[in-house]
Amino acid sequence: MQKIHIVSNRLPFSIKEEDEKTTLEASVGGLATGMKSIYKEYGGTWIGWPGVDSDSLSAEKESEIDALFKREKCASVHLNAEDIELFYEGFSNRTIWPLFHYFTQYADFNQEAWDKYVEVNQKFADAALETVEDGDAVWVHDYQLLLVPEMIKSKKPNVTVGFFLHIPFPSFEVFRILPWRKEIIQGMLGADLIGFHTYDYERHFFSCVRRLFGYEISFNQIHIDDRIIIADSFPMGIDYDKFVKSAQAVAMKGVSEKSELHQELDKYFLASPDRKLILSIDRLDYTKGIPNRLKAFARFLEKYPEFRQKVTLIMLAVPSRDQVDHYQLLKKEVDELVGQINGDYGSINYTPIWYFYRSMPFDNLIELYSSCDVALITPVRDGMNLVAKEYVASRINNTGVLILSEMAGVAKEMGEALIINPVDDENMADSIHQALTMPIEEQKSRTAFMKERIQRYDVFKWASEFIKSLKKAEAKQSDFLAKMITPSIEKTMLDKYNKAEKRAIFLDYDGTLTSFKKNPQDAMPNEELHNIIKNLTDNEKNIVTIISGRDRYTLEKWFSGHRVNLICEHGVWMKVVDGTWEMLSTVNNNWMPNVRPTMENFVDRTPGSFIEEKNYSLVWHFRKSEPEQGELRANELKDELNTHLSNHNLEIMEGNKVIEVKSGGINKGIAALQFLNNEPYDYIMALGDDWTDEFMFRELPEEAYTIKVGLTHTKASYKVESVAAVRALLSKM
Ligand code: GDG
């Protein structure tokens, strides 16, 4: 990995105009902090939007801004008013944001906005493509740029692409609502590594990939043609030391140095020593659960009257996306609720809620974190929520209680917080009470545990762990491709082929010579394949054997008229050209009546699955079933079949979307060796795609050309990526 570049919607600086001078002001947000270390260390460029509408900029101003950013190793992607309206406020914030946070009723599905989303994603990708060189890596961020990974990968396959989603990834039932769901997944799958905050988001993503595309997923790897894509969870952290140091600095300040806010907070406590403060901080967003929180606070004051006059909720709601209707309605609702609660429970010298609708300087934020006894963080849905971590980090003496919604990603890491359901007023009101009455020792011990974790896994660790995994993904991809048949390997292979006098060629059928069909009987050879086989067998020096798990009748019918040998049912039956069927080993099928009912039970419970009966094996096919259910049931079936294995000397074979039970002691490897029977072949080649072919790859002599179709781990000496590649190779022989 040479350089690492970052692509995100916003650049890590904002433009400041003062005294007719334009300058850049560095952003202090979590992402900017985490990424700065990375892109500086790896000498990359940060690609993103400068944050101003380009329609409002003259050409000279635009170049001045570009030059300022260039000095900071940033490349600007300019967005005009229409881009901002349709791409940013439109598709990003009116479609993806609500949908991914399960607010399906708020999601707009507007074709024009989608078209703009594609167009603007392409703008970002083009800007990245201008900067990025082969061998570099790019780390793309968040829901505004879901299509960028594929847009980069398709143009520059030798660039390693990482993608991190900062918001939740919803379950398939919600994601499927999106008319452009396939395009979004395809866009993300351009990445080599896809990161989420939690494992739940990761598994929702896998489920969507499986259901929409049926791609093979093993552990956390998705296999697509010639690529492997890794998805993993990386819970984002904060700059822990910065919060600790800032909180220490605030604690050290003398009265005269304190901010106005801090002095007001001090005054509040001075009025009475048993006064308490509860803190709530978020962007004013419907996902943050602010109205529910207010209602729960009112319920608390109603249920526990002894706390009236003593407990104040400080609510900082940072203005956000105020051009979007739902945000304006939310603002109105919050304003009204605050007014109502203050009216109901307030008095001349007591205001239950101090409400700030604005953002505050960082130092004020720290003063709030340090002064408040309880943090009430109750989003109805939140990708992570960094405020929770910042509050805990800022508690230098370990006192304070965090009340946390179970719907925030951060709840997965903060088990010692009081975890609540954000729509359950009663539960929240009781938790506020529990927090305010929690013994100091308990507060300290809970905070200490949480601190240890957020200190260890801070934002720098988060970024470096992601990069470490990105490097591994890059290495995995090259391992994967290591056995690929390159033009020079192919040339040697064909030279040897041409020089050989007697060649044994073993060809698996399904997944090798032809692609899988939902119904196995539909996978008969087409004209192209017939021509390939004819061409191969016309050459007298070639002895071609189709070696398959299929039943003998089907293959005999499909290949009648060809000069090929057939080995069927994984090596039970063999028929040489012009010969008759003979059994390669003595096997029986008297175990079938015992095993069949078990399989039938799985057919009944798994719609779309069916049993195929061969002479000496039973096969359960689940290619037509709902993919996740099929995989799940396949594991259960294997487990149940195990009870029959030793009684009947059986073997279970796992093929591609099939579970096959057959008599033991036979496999394609034994059959191939028996076939070769010490004949003097000077060129042996075997091609196959699945687990059953691995026996053949293992048994054949070392000098044989064993070739795996597909990129998964194999004993074969070479790999090709697809059926089309097999056909292309055989056509050259
Ligand atoms: C998205 C996801 C995910 C807030 N008010 C002020 C202020 N802040 C700072 C906080 C904190 C940040 O803003 C808010 O971060 P969150 O994580 O809580 O929420 P989102 O903005 O919705 O972020 C979220 C995050 O991405 C990261 O992946 O955790 O789930 O929705 O750092 O301190 N900072 C200042 N004044 C304020 O008034 N200076």
Coordinates of all heavy atoms in Angstrom, one line a residue, residues 30 97 101 164 166-167 197 236 243 281 283 288 316 318 358-362 365 369 382-387 390, ligand 1:
G30 N -14.9 14.2 15.2 CA -14.2 12.9 15.4 C -13.6 12.4 14.2 O -12.4 11.9 14.2
W97 N -30.9 8.6 5.0 CA -30.9 8.9 6.5 C -32.1 8.3 7.2 O -32.0 7.5 8.1 CB -30.7 10.4 6.8 CG -30.6 10.7 8.2 CD1 -31.7 11.0 9.0 CD2 -29.5 10.6 9.1 NE1 -31.3 11.2 10.3 CE2 -29.9 11.0 10.4 CE3 -28.1 10.4 8.9 CZ2 -29.1 11.0 11.5 CZ3 -27.3 10.5 10.0 CH2 -27.8 10.8 11.3
H101 N -32.3 4.7 9.4 CA -32.6 4.8 10.8 C -34.0 4.3 11.2 O -34.6 4.6 12.2 CB -32.4 6.3 11.3 CG -31.0 6.7 11.4 ND1 -30.3 7.3 10.4 CD2 -30.1 6.7 12.5 CE1 -29.1 7.6 10.8 NE2 -29.0 7.3 12.0
F164 N -16.4 3.0 5.1 CA -17.0 2.9 6.5 C -18.3 3.6 6.5 O -18.5 4.8 6.0 CB -16.0 3.5 7.5 CG -16.5 3.3 8.9 CD1 -16.1 2.1 9.5 CD2 -17.3 4.2 9.6 CE1 -16.6 1.8 10.8 CE2 -17.7 3.9 10.8 CZ -17.4 2.7 11.5
H166 N -21.1 5.3 8.8 CA -21.2 5.9 10.1 C -22.6 5.7 10.7 O -22.8 6.0 11.9 CB -20.7 7.3 10.1 CG -19.3 7.5 9.9 ND1 -18.4 7.7 10.9 CD2 -18.5 7.4 8.8 CE1 -17.2 7.8 10.4 NE2 -17.2 7.6 9.1
I167 N -23.5 5.4 9.9 CA -24.9 5.2 10.4 C -25.3 3.8 10.5 O -24.6 2.9 10.0 CB -25.9 6.1 9.6 CG1 -26.0 5.6 8.2 CG2 -25.5 7.6 9.6 CD1 -27.1 6.3 7.3
H197 N -20.1 0.1 12.5 CA -19.9 0.3 13.9 C -20.1 -0.9 14.8 O -19.4 -1.2 15.7 CB -20.8 1.4 14.5 CG -20.4 2.8 14.2 ND1 -19.2 3.3 14.5 CD2 -21.1 3.8 13.6 CE1 -19.1 4.6 14.1 NE2 -20.3 4.9 13.6
M236 N -16.4 3.1 16.3 CA -15.6 4.3 16.3 C -15.4 4.9 17.7 O -16.3 4.8 18.6 CB -16.3 5.4 15.5 CG -15.4 6.6 15.2 SD -16.2 7.7 14.0 CE -15.2 9.1 14.1
F243 N -10.1 14.7 25.6 CA -11.2 15.0 26.6 C -10.8 15.0 28.0 O -11.2 15.9 28.8 CB -12.4 14.0 26.3 CG -13.2 14.4 25.1 CD1 -12.8 14.0 23.8 CD2 -14.2 15.3 25.2 CE1 -13.5 14.4 22.7 CE2 -14.9 15.7 24.1 CZ -14.6 15.3 22.8
I281 N -27.2 16.2 25.0 CA -26.6 16.9 23.8 C -26.8 16.1 22.6 O -26.5 14.9 22.5 CB -25.1 17.0 24.0 CG1 -24.8 17.9 25.3 CG2 -24.4 17.6 22.8 CD1 -23.3 18.2 25.5
R283 N -27.5 16.7 17.9 CA -28.0 17.5 16.8 C -29.6 17.4 16.9 O -30.1 16.3 17.4 CB -27.6 17.0 15.5 CG -26.2 17.4 15.1 CD -25.9 16.9 13.7 NE -26.0 15.4 13.5 CZ -27.0 14.9 12.9 NH1 -28.0 15.6 12.4 NH2 -27.1 13.6 12.8
K288 N -32.7 11.2 17.3 CA -32.1 11.3 18.6 C -33.1 11.1 19.8 O -32.7 11.2 20.9 CB -31.4 12.6 18.7 CG -30.3 12.8 17.6 CD -29.1 12.0 17.8 CE -28.0 12.2 16.7 NZ -26.8 11.4 16.9
L316 N -28.9 20.7 25.1 CA -28.3 21.4 24.0 C -28.7 20.6 22.7 O -28.4 19.5 22.5 CB -26.8 21.3 24.2 CG -25.9 21.8 23.1 CD1 -26.2 23.3 22.8 CD2 -24.4 21.7 23.4
V318 N -28.3 21.0 18.8 CA -27.6 21.7 17.8 C -28.4 21.8 16.5 O -28.8 20.7 16.0 CB -26.2 21.0 17.6 CG1 -25.4 21.8 16.5 CG2 -25.4 21.0 18.9
R358 N -28.6 25.8 19.8 CA -27.4 26.3 19.1 C -26.2 25.4 19.3 O -26.4 24.4 20.1 CB -27.1 27.7 19.7 CG -26.9 27.8 21.2 CD -26.2 29.1 21.6 NE -26.0 29.2 23.0 CZ -26.8 29.8 23.8 NH1 -27.9 30.3 23.5 NH2 -26.4 29.8 25.1
S359 N -25.1 25.7 18.7 CA -24.0 24.9 19.1 C -23.1 25.7 20.0 O -23.3 26.9 20.1 CB -23.2 24.5 17.8 OG -22.5 25.6 17.4
M360 N -22.2 25.0 20.7 CA -21.4 25.7 21.7 C -20.0 25.5 21.4 O -19.6 24.5 20.9 CB -21.7 25.2 23.1 CG -23.0 25.6 23.7 SD -23.1 25.2 25.4 CE -24.7 25.8 25.8
P361 N -19.1 26.4 21.9 CA -17.7 26.1 21.7 C -17.2 24.9 22.5 O -17.9 24.5 23.5 CB -17.0 27.4 22.3 CG -18.1 28.4 22.5 CD -19.4 27.7 22.6
F362 N -16.2 24.3 22.0 CA -15.7 23.0 22.6 C -15.6 23.1 24.2 O -16.0 22.2 24.9 CB -14.4 22.6 22.0 CG -13.8 21.3 22.5 CD1 -14.4 20.1 22.2 CD2 -12.7 21.4 23.4 CE1 -13.9 18.9 22.7 CE2 -12.2 20.2 23.9 CZ -12.8 19.0 23.5
L365 N -18.6 22.8 26.0 CA -19.1 21.4 26.0 C -18.4 20.6 27.2 O -19.1 19.8 27.9 CB -18.6 20.8 24.7 CG -19.4 19.6 24.1 CD1 -20.8 20.1 23.7 CD2 -18.7 19.1 22.8
Y369 N -20.0 18.6 30.3 CA -19.7 17.2 30.6 C -19.2 17.1 32.0 O -19.6 16.2 32.8 CB -18.6 16.7 29.7 CG -19.1 16.4 28.2 CD1 -18.1 16.5 27.2 CD2 -20.3 15.9 27.9 CE1 -18.5 16.2 25.9 CE2 -20.7 15.7 26.6 CZ -19.8 15.8 25.6 OH -20.1 15.5 24.3
D382 N -29.3 5.2 16.5 CA -28.0 6.0 16.3 C -26.9 5.0 15.9 O -26.7 4.0 16.6 CB -27.7 6.7 17.7 CG -26.9 8.0 17.5 OD1 -26.3 8.1 16.4 OD2 -27.0 8.8 18.4
G383 N -26.2 5.4 14.9 CA -25.1 4.5 14.4 C -24.2 4.1 15.5 O -23.9 2.9 15.8
M384 N -23.6 5.2 16.2 CA -22.7 4.9 17.3 C -23.2 5.8 18.5 O -23.7 5.4 19.5 CB -21.3 5.2 16.9 CG -20.2 5.3 18.0 SD -20.2 3.8 19.1 CE -19.5 2.6 18.1
N385 N -22.9 7.1 18.4 CA -23.1 8.2 19.4 C -21.9 8.4 20.2 O -21.5 7.7 21.2 CB -24.3 7.9 20.3 CG -24.7 9.2 21.1 OD1 -23.8 9.8 21.8 ND2 -25.9 9.7 20.9
L386 N -21.2 9.4 19.8 CA -19.9 9.7 20.4 C -20.0 10.6 21.7 O -19.2 10.6 22.5 CB -19.0 10.5 19.4 CG -18.7 9.7 18.1 CD1 -17.9 10.6 17.2 CD2 -17.9 8.4 18.4
V387 N -21.2 11.3 21.8 CA -21.4 12.1 23.0 C -21.3 11.2 24.2 O -20.7 11.6 25.2 CB -22.8 12.8 22.9 CG1 -23.1 13.5 24.2 CG2 -22.7 13.8 21.8
E390 N -17.7 10.7 25.0 CA -17.1 12.0 25.5 C -17.5 12.3 26.9 O -16.6 12.8 27.7 CB -17.5 13.1 24.5 CG -17.0 12.9 23.1 CD -17.6 13.9 22.1 OE1 -18.5 14.7 22.5 OE2 -17.3 13.8 20.9
Ligands
GDG1 C1 -22.9 10.3 13.0 C2 -23.8 9.2 13.5 C3 -21.9 8.3 14.8 C4 -22.4 18.2 19.5 N1 -22.8 19.4 19.9 C5 -21.7 20.2 19.9 C6 -20.6 19.5 19.5 N2 -21.0 18.2 19.3 C7 -20.2 17.1 18.9 C8 -20.1 16.1 19.9 C9 -19.8 14.8 19.1 C10 -20.5 15.1 17.8 O1 -20.8 16.5 17.7 C11 -21.8 14.3 17.6 O2 -21.5 13.0 17.3 P1 -22.5 11.8 17.4 O3 -21.8 10.6 17.2 O4 -23.1 11.9 18.7 O5 -23.6 12.0 16.3 P2 -23.8 12.4 14.7 O6 -23.5 13.8 14.5 O7 -25.2 12.1 14.4 O8 -22.8 11.5 13.9 C12 -23.4 8.7 14.8 C13 -21.1 9.4 14.2 O9 -21.5 9.8 13.0 C14 -19.6 8.9 14.1 O10 -19.5 7.8 13.3 O11 -21.5 8.1 16.2 O12 -24.2 7.6 15.2 O13 -25.2 9.6 13.4 O14 -18.4 14.7 18.9 O15 -19.1 16.4 20.8 N3 -19.4 20.0 19.5 C15 -19.3 21.3 19.8 N4 -20.3 22.1 20.1 C16 -21.6 21.6 20.2 O16 -22.5 22.3 20.5 N5 -18.1 21.9 19.8

